[in-house]
Amino acid sequence: MTEAELYTEYKGVYLPTHLHPQGSLKYYEEFTFRHDDILIVTYPKSGTTWMQEIVPLVQSGGDLTPVLTVPNWDRVPWLEETRACVLNLEQRASPRLFSTHYHYNMMPASFFTVKPKVIYVMRNPKDVFTSSYHYYGMASFLVQPGTQDQFLQKFLNGKGWLNAKDQDRTMYISYEEMIFDLRDSVSKISQFMEKSLDSEVIEKIADHCVFKNMKQNKMSNYSLVPNEFMDHNKSEFLRKGIAGDWKNQLTVSQAEYFDAVYKNQVKDIKYKFVWD
């Protein structure tokens, strides 16, 4: 299928129509946040599933039940996707847990007035590219990536959250930090969520959320998704969970081109990235 058949343009961004019909976009536009909501914000393939595993476990005090019995797309739903419309999110007890791939300037009006908490997960963009390239090849609702050079041209466009206002309500954490010290990352997340957890609980959460362990959880590894939508024979949704896999994907010239474009795009951002 063509891009025109697969995507809807919304606020300057192309969204997969299968996941984002007009009804779901309208639902998010009119959504009312609460001040104590916790919103996981990511660029796709930057650690969303990982954080959808950690945050509910912090909230539950280490009880594994929510992550072993509820699919991640229902336990921490994307507010812009069609599932959000049927989950009765207005009836959920506080603090509610949500996800979004929206850019900061795409957020609904209530976000800016209510100011929920945000956990923004970053990842080395070259690893995001690598993971995305494989993902686009296995998901039927996304346009086929084409050659690596073609996909690279499309990929190197984007905006983010690093210049967002209300920084005191936002926690920034990177995929790389979580790989380096997951226990410390869980501890920081629990502090941000204002959940007092003892060391044994933090250790339990970190152990469950090690990538190789989380990858076995059918409620999080997308094995429940029918093959017509995600062909796991082409690529697993949760692939390697490592940092630096871009070195096995990009050619030297592609990496140099990527760096040149990337440096120009982030030149006005003061944030210090762990991968730079």
Side-chain angles (χ1 to χ4, degrees):
M1 297 177 71
T2 65
E3 289 188 8
E5 293 171 311
L6 286 169
Y7 293 96
T8 297
E9 185 177 0
Y10 179 74
K11 295 188 177 182
V13 175
Y14 288 96
L15 304 174
T17 305
H18 174 75
L19 298 178
H20 308 88
Q22 289 299 321
S24 67
L25 300 180
K26 185 175 186 295
Y27 174 82
Y28 197 6
E29 282 184 358
E30 299 174 351
F31 187 78
T32 301
F33 279 101
R34 300 174 193 160
H35 188 63
D36 59 357
D37 286 339
I38 297 171
L39 182 65
I40 298 168
V41 179
T42 58
Y43 189 88
K45 309 308 293 180
S46 296
T48 321
T49 305
W50 206 356
M51 198 58 73
Q52 286 171 320
E53 198 88 354
I54 294 171
V55 169
L57 290 176
V58 170
Q59 185 59 36
S60 71
D63 180 3
L64 298 179
T65 303
V67 301
L68 295 179
T69 60
V70 183
N72 68 308
W73 53 81
D74 283 355
R75 101 173 70 107
V76 192
W78 284 270
L79 289 171
E80 64 269 28
E81 292 190 0
T82 186
R83 283 289 298 167
C85 302
V86 299
L87 292 176
N88 297 315
L89 300 179
E90 292 77 12
Q91 306 303 317
R92 289 196 176 184
S94 294
R96 300 176 299 178
L97 311 177
F98 302 128
S99 300
T100 189
H101 289 320
Y102 269 13
H103 300 168
Y104 181 73
N105 62 359
M106 296 171 68
M107 298 301 292
S110 75
F111 172 85
F112 299 101
T113 55
V114 175
K115 301 177 181 177
K117 283 192 171 184
V118 170
I119 299 176
Y120 181 65
V121 190
M122 301 167 286
R123 189 182 187 186
N124 185 324
K126 285 185 281 195
D127 278 330
V128 176
F129 167 84
T130 299
S131 185
S132 298
Y133 185 70
H134 290 279
Y135 177 47
Y136 272 68
M138 61 92 79
S140 65
F141 50 85
L142 299 173
V143 71
Q144 287 298 298
T147 68
Q148 194 159 286
D149 279 328
Q150 290 171 333
F151 190 67
L152 187 61
Q153 293 295 326
K154 294 179 181 178
F155 180 83
L156 288 173
N157 286 303
K159 301 177 178 68
W161 281 70
L162 293 174
N163 291 324
K165 298 178 181 178
D166 304 307
Q167 299 283 320
D168 61 315
R169 299 287 293 170
T170 303
M171 174 186 181
Y172 295 101
I173 190 168
S174 71
Y175 195 95
E176 290 74 16
E177 290 173 80
M178 293 162 66
I179 289 176
F180 179 72
D181 192 337
L182 185 55
R183 189 185 185 284
D184 183 62
S185 296
V186 171
S187 179
K188 289 177 179 176
I189 291 165
S190 67
Q191 291 171 29
F192 179 72
M193 292 175 61
E194 300 179 64
K195 293 287 290 184
S196 180
L197 303 179
D198 60 37
S199 59
E200 289 79 11
V201 172
I202 289 174
E203 190 68 44
K204 177 183 179 181
I205 294 172
D207 180 68
H208 172 82
C209 293
V210 170
F211 191 85
K212 65 181 177 63
N213 294 339
M214 183 184 71
K215 189 174 181 178
Q216 303 307 312
N217 182 6
K218 66 180 181 179
M219 294 293 163
S220 302
N221 63 16
Y222 284 79
S223 60
L224 297 178
V225 176
N227 225 44
E228 64 184 289
F229 297 115
M230 289 186 178
D231 189 345
H232 291 267
N233 294 316
K234 293 181 178 178
S235 175
E236 295 175 293
F237 181 85
L238 297 177
R239 292 178 56 250
K240 298 181 180 180
I242 62 175
D245 194 38
W246 66 268
K247 297 172 186 176
N248 302 314
Q249 188 77 31
L250 294 169
T251 65
V252 173
S253 61
Q254 287 173 337
E256 290 174 347
Y257 173 71
F258 194 113
D259 286 342
V261 175
Y262 164 74
K263 287 176 181 177
N264 182 62
Q265 289 185 341
V266 302
K267 65 180 185 298
D268 296 325
I269 295 176
K270 296 181 175 60
Y271 192 91
K272 177 64 177 175
F273 300 103
V274 297
W275 52 82
D276 284 343

